[in-house]
Amino acid sequence: MSSMKILVVNPGSTSTKIAVFEGEEKVFAVDVIHDAETLQTFSGILDQLEYRKGMIIERLKEEGYAIEDFDAFSGRGGGLEPCAGGTYGVTPRVVASARKNAFHPAILGPVIVDYFSGITGKPAFIVNPPDVDELQPVARVTGLADICRETRTHTLSHKEVAKRVAAQLGRRYEEMNLIVAHIGGGTSVAAHRAGRMVDSGDLLGGDCPMAPTRPGNLSPGIMVDLCFSGKYEKNDMKDLLRKNGGFVSHFGTSDVLEVMKLIENGDKRAELVFNGMIYQIGKYIGSMAAVLHGKVDAIVLTGGIARSERVVEGLKSMVGFLADFFVFPGELEMEALAAGARRVLSGEEEIAVYTGEPVWNGYEGYEGYEGGESGV
């Protein structure tokens, strides 16, 4: 098992990341860059499938690998109905959902690894897809009868660093209370209780702290005024929530280093806005401590901006009284995708089965809380 060879595939907007793991060691990794003009010739994301598969196979061949060399495949996923966390076997139902909801290149992940599985007869997986929804029922309630809270977050990153902290402490993730913050171009904060993300925001919907590309949680009244101001169409408002807020709105850039240079050069507004971002993240962490009834085993930071000493120290100053901090700067997506497959193959984790049925169908038929504390 220690020498098991796993190919990880993570499609992005302009490239496809691939990595080869032998046991826990990443022995090869590369960003396969896709020509922008070539991508523009495809009418839809699914039309890119053959092009991306071919480039992956060719790049692996250059490094001396054939698809038949691998014991398993793990791909970035998405496009599923809301589901529980875990490592899912790629089945026809998973592939059908991905094909049906192909709104981002990452959704090609399960389709590509399914193709490789078909060639070799070796298993294919997706791990903690962005569709994971483990909210406790009380966290779903809003003051509008036909609206329930949803969550879309950095689940793959959250679960990976949570498991790493548990391992460092000699404990199981499933027996711990953790607050995890992935701090990047978009920032997500979640309360993890007994192996489930029982409360978290909606990164795509704007229920999140301010970040380099996100405005953060705005007053509904402000949003109503913006929507009816005549300045924005529906897609403009979505772009405002997902990519044109935060540092982009204030400074015209999402580059944290550029904003830091402004601060170093004495720009007081840049300093205030940057500190405002830290402040909002701290507020979210504090709210998740309330969700966990103050019983917090650790606070975990990850993502690219977790490299910033200013951010880490600012958050420690604000909420360090709650629990010890653990910091995993940068991205661990490829490692997390390989680790999930490895856990299933070694028998450490039971494979999850995607049913296509959402984990929450609204209030109708709701009969009570399912374990854990209710939060009230």
Side-chain angles (χ1 to χ4, degrees):
M1 190 62 64
S2 61
S3 62
M4 182 164 286
K5 194 174 293 183
I6 299 172
L7 174 65
V8 175
V9 178
N10 187 354
S13 297
T14 59
S15 68
T16 300
K17 295 178 182 178
I18 59 174
V20 176
F21 287 80
E22 293 186 10
E24 297 184 6
E25 182 182 0
K26 181 164 61 176
V27 296
F28 169 70
V30 69
D31 245 3
V32 179
I33 305 299
H34 303 307
D35 179 67
E37 291 186 4
T38 301
L39 290 179
Q40 289 175 1
T41 65
F42 299 110
S43 58
I45 288 172
L46 285 174
D47 298 312
Q48 301 174 15
L49 187 59
E50 294 302 320
Y51 168 70
R52 290 191 185 237
K53 284 193 306 188
M55 289 201 70
I56 292 169
I57 292 171
E58 185 60 31
R59 189 67 180 86
L60 288 170
K61 185 177 179 181
E62 291 174 7
E63 297 297 323
Y65 295 105
I67 295 300
E68 292 78 10
D69 294 337
F70 297 99
D71 299 294
F73 307 93
S74 189
R76 193 76 171 97
L80 308 183
E81 291 291 337
C83 56
T87 300
Y88 287 82
V90 175
T91 63
R93 185 171 283 152
V94 169
V95 173
S97 285
R99 285 181 171 274
K100 179 181 177 182
N101 300 300
F103 61 89
H104 187 278
I107 293 171
L108 294 175
V111 185
I112 292 172
V113 296
D114 180 65
Y115 171 76
F116 293 156
S117 176
I119 292 175
T120 63
K122 304 295 176 60
F125 305 98
I126 57 173
V127 183
N128 288 314
D131 319 284
V132 167
D133 180 346
E134 297 177 331
L135 293 185
Q136 59 182 339
V138 73
R140 301 182 185 278
V141 178
T142 76
L144 296 179
D146 55 348
I147 301 293
C148 295
R149 286 186 68 236
E150 298 178 340
T151 177
R152 285 164 288 192
T153 190
H154 301 98
T155 309
L156 183 65
S157 173
H158 273 251
K159 295 273 191 177
E160 178 64 16
V161 295
K163 288 177 182 291
R164 290 187 179 212
V165 167
Q168 283 188 24
L169 296 175
R171 300 175 63 184
R172 296 177 63 248
Y173 168 54
E174 291 76 13
E175 65 183 24
M176 297 188 70
N177 284 354
L178 302 166
I179 299 171
V180 179
H182 178 110
I183 310 172
T187 291
S188 58
V189 183
H192 296 239
R193 184 177 64 223
R196 295 176 66 84
M197 296 170 62
V198 295
D199 203 340
S200 57
D202 181 358
L203 189 62
L204 294 183
D207 181 11
C208 57
M210 189 182 85
T213 63
R214 264 60 166 202
N217 201 329
L218 300 173
S219 160
I222 292 174
M223 296 302 292
V224 169
D225 289 342
L226 288 175
C227 287
F228 288 91
S229 66
K231 295 169 58 178
Y232 302 98
E233 299 292 336
K234 181 177 181 180
N235 286 338
D236 296 328
M237 291 301 298
K238 287 187 175 181
D239 286 346
L240 197 64
L241 291 177
R242 299 175 184 179
K243 63 181 181 180
N244 292 333
F247 292 172
V248 173
S249 177
H250 280 280
F251 310 112
T253 180
S254 62
D255 190 328
V256 176
L257 294 179
E258 288 189 25
V259 178
M260 290 297 296
K261 286 180 182 177
L262 293 175
I263 295 172
E264 291 167 4
N265 291 330
D267 189 320
K268 294 302 182 182
R269 178 184 174 183
E271 183 176 19
L272 178 62
V273 171
F274 198 95
N275 288 342
M277 178 186 73
I278 297 171
Y279 177 81
Q280 290 191 27
I281 298 169
K283 281 178 64 176
Y284 266 78
I285 289 173
S287 71
M288 293 305 169
V291 169
L292 297 173
H293 293 225
K295 301 171 185 175
V296 184
D297 293 312
I299 296 170
V300 192
L301 306 181
T302 189
I305 301 179
R307 294 189 178 97
S308 167
E309 184 177 346
R310 184 189 188 100
V311 171
V312 173
E313 292 306 314
L315 290 173
K316 285 183 178 180
S317 173
M318 191 172 178
V319 292
F321 66 93
L322 293 169
D324 290 336
F325 270 67
F326 291 78
V327 183
F328 296 85
E331 289 187 358
L332 292 170
E333 286 186 346
M334 305 303 275
E335 289 80 1
L337 290 167
R342 204 163 48 241
R343 288 192 298 269
V344 167
L345 293 169
S346 67
E348 179 184 342
E349 178 181 322
E350 186 175 345
I351 192 168
V353 178
Y354 176 64
T355 66
E357 295 295 326
V359 292
W360 172 257
N361 284 311
Y363 301 114
E364 185 176 352
Y366 174 62
E367 296 178 352
Y369 296 107
E370 296 179 1
E373 296 170 334
S374 68
V376 294

